[in-house]
């Protein structure tokens, strides 16, 4: 049985190293809206289930990749605005991206892609190396809640409590 898709975000992995931010349009409403009314897209949009698309009302040309149920690319075409795409009978999913993007990712017929769902870097969860404060900006500013040097903070060079002279029984 096939995978159950939901609207959301994820990452499209193309063999050869390209990791592309992905929007997933699985509901009727999200598929119908697609890229209409946008000026562009950073990454790609996966329409699922889908076997054809149109570009009526689109403001820019797009690359369209038809995928089978195993996420193998059946065909890649570039469509100008105002066109009706061909129906691909074996297609179960359609990827859309700005014209020329898919060639840059190495996406072509026969390639099998991988989709990972969940937050896309920069759109939901912390990106590795970006989850904490910027170096030099992580602590309180002097005079704004943190102890002044020499006034209550740990002694420089000592990270723990002072050693005790008492012995445990």
């Amino acid at each position: 049985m096939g995978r159950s898709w939901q609207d959301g975000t994820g990452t499209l992995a193309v063999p050869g190293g390209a990791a592309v931010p992905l929007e997933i349009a699985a509901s009727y409403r999200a598929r119908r809206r697609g890229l209409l009314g946008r000026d562009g897209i950073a990454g790609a949009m996966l329409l699922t289930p889908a076997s054809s698309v149109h570009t009526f009302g689109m403001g820019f040309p797009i690359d369209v990749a038809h995928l089978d149920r195993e996420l193998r690319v059946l065909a890649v075409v570039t469509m100008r605005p105002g066109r009706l795409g061909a129906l691909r009978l074996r297609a179960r999913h359609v990827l859309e991206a700005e014209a020329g993007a898919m060639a840059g990712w190495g996406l072509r017929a026969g390639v099998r892609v991988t989709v990972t769902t969940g937050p896309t870097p920069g759109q939901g969860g912390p990106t590795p190396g970006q989850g904490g404060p910027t170096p030099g900006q992580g602590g309180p500013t002097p005079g704004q809640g943190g102890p002044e040097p020499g006034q209550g903070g740990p002694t420089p060079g000592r990270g723990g409590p002072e050693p005790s002279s008492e012995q445990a029984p």
Side-chain angles (χ1 to χ4, degrees), residues 1-129:
M1 179 122 179
R3 179 177 180 166
S4 177
W5 297 91
Q6 294 182 349
D7 294 347
T9 60
T11 303
L12 174 73
V14 179
V20 180
L22 183 68
E23 295 179 44
I24 301 169
S27 68
Y28 173 77
R29 183 176 180 186
R31 289 191 317 268
R32 184 165 185 216
R33 172 103 173 126
L35 296 175
L36 295 176
R38 295 194 191 189
D39 295 330
I41 182 171
M45 177 174 280
L46 176 69
L47 304 171
T48 181
S51 57
S52 68
V53 295
H54 69 82
T55 57
F56 298 116
M58 300 266 307
F60 58 99
I62 61 172
D63 283 345
V64 175
H66 294 86
L67 310 175
D68 67 10
R69 69 181 71 237
E70 296 173 351
L71 300 179
R72 190 174 319 278
V73 178
L74 300 172
V76 178
V77 296
T78 300
M79 294 177 61
R80 295 191 323 254
R83 303 286 188 238
L84 179 62
L87 175 67
R88 304 280 177 171
L89 296 178
R90 290 184 30 223
R92 297 295 178 266
H93 319 280
V94 174
L95 271 174
E96 295 180 341
E98 288 193 25
M102 291 184 185
W105 303 333
L107 198 68
R108 63 189 180 288
V111 170
R112 187 171 179 201
V113 298
T114 305
V115 172
T116 305
T117 58
T120 301
Q123 293 185 6
T127 301

